[in-house]
Amino acid sequence: MTTATPREVALLRLVAQRVAGPPFPDAAAAVRGLLAVQGQDWPGAVTSVALRTADRSRAGVQAACEAGAVVRSWPMRGTLHLTPAEDLPWMLGLLGTRALAGAAKRRAVVGLTEDDLERSRGVAVAALSGGRRLGRRELLAVLAEAGCAVAGQQGYHTLWYLSQTSTLVLGPVEGGDQAFVLLDEWVPVPRRLDREEALAELALRYVTGHGPATVADLVRWAGTTVRDARAGLAAVRDRLTSVDVDGTEMLMDPATPERLAACRADAEGLHLLPGFDEVVLGYADRTCTVPPEHADRIVPGGNGVFRATVVTGGQAVGTWRWTGTGARRRVEAEPFTTFPDGVAGRVPELAAALP
């Protein structure tokens, strides 16, 4: 086992995630390489994937969704993610039960019964069978017309539940967002893994796409148990390498250090990331990238809405956003303290170049 500093870990993670260094060839490969990409904010998720690809194209991400290579659903932690289409079914089978454990309580809060949800499932299947697709509003309107309970939060919970239980999935792009389709029709050839295989696949894909990372990082990211995370990592341990960071073991793809050595200047350079990017959200302990004293600047008040970040030298040094529209549209960047020399002047140029 070698040793590394937290700053080195931050740089290795940028390379593992292909924010720095050679990019993935296309959007499908990017999502496959990370296994899952945060998808709460659709425009930001498209940017996150596109900036990791060779052509840095939003159109490329949307094409991957239209082709059925990439889908969006709630595979883990009850949170929206982009995933490879063929991997979603086994992820739902492995990780969905934990998210569903609290569904009964949530149903009671929003005023739904199991019978309500099963009635909605039947209506949704009838409306979408044969390759039909409907946006969220359109699908909810169909459910409402059929007398299903979709008022207030009932509608969101119903779509979440039907997706979590492998009936619906967000796939093709319609009107700037993804439309719902039937999972069995949209993913006709899913990967089928038994539990042990799925735990190993989860661990290997997470670590190679995000490492250096710890057991705790995998537990937090996937919403799995410590026992399952350790079992998965043990099964693929011989395909990973370890590094000691202040007494903590972290695992990664053995090729990552070599890739960093070949593109260190790029990794240490200036990067703008959208909100909810995996570089920030992909770990239980974010302190390698986000100084703990400034964590609340990225997610003010712990409200769950993560701001876009300015990263240099592997560390977040501030946040940025677009303001205004049309000719008045401009970038505002806010440093945590003071931006390093040359950073502020480059932010507008880099923001304009983001996909």
Side-chain angles (χ1 to χ4, degrees), residues 208-226:
T208 55
H210 291 76
T214 64
V215 172
D217 290 325
L218 174 56
V219 168
R220 170 66 181 82
W221 183 79
T224 189
T225 65
V226 173

Side-chain angles (χ1 to χ4, degrees), residues 250-262:
M250 292 189 174
L251 300 174
M252 62 180 164
D253 182 345
T256 302
E258 293 181 8
R259 292 206 301 268
L260 174 58

Side-chain angles (χ1 to χ4, degrees), residues 35-61:
L35 182 58
V37 175
Q38 297 281 335
Q40 300 96 318
D41 171 44
W42 169 243
V46 174
T47 297
S48 282
V49 175
L51 65 82
R52 291 166 164 84
T53 64
D55 68 358
R56 294 172 63 90
S57 164
R58 298 181 68 83
V61 181

Side-chain angles (χ1 to χ4, degrees), residues 35-36 38 75-78 81 91 94-96 98-99 199 202-203 206 215-225 229 281-284:
L35 182 58
Q38 297 281 335
M76 53 196 192
R77 307 195 321 273
H81 286 77
M91 294 180 71
L94 178 68
L95 304 169
R98 288 176 63 81
L199 287 173
L202 176 73
Y206 170 70
V215 172
D217 290 325
L218 174 56
V219 168
R220 170 66 181 82
W221 183 79
T224 189
T225 65
L281 270 72
Y283 310 91

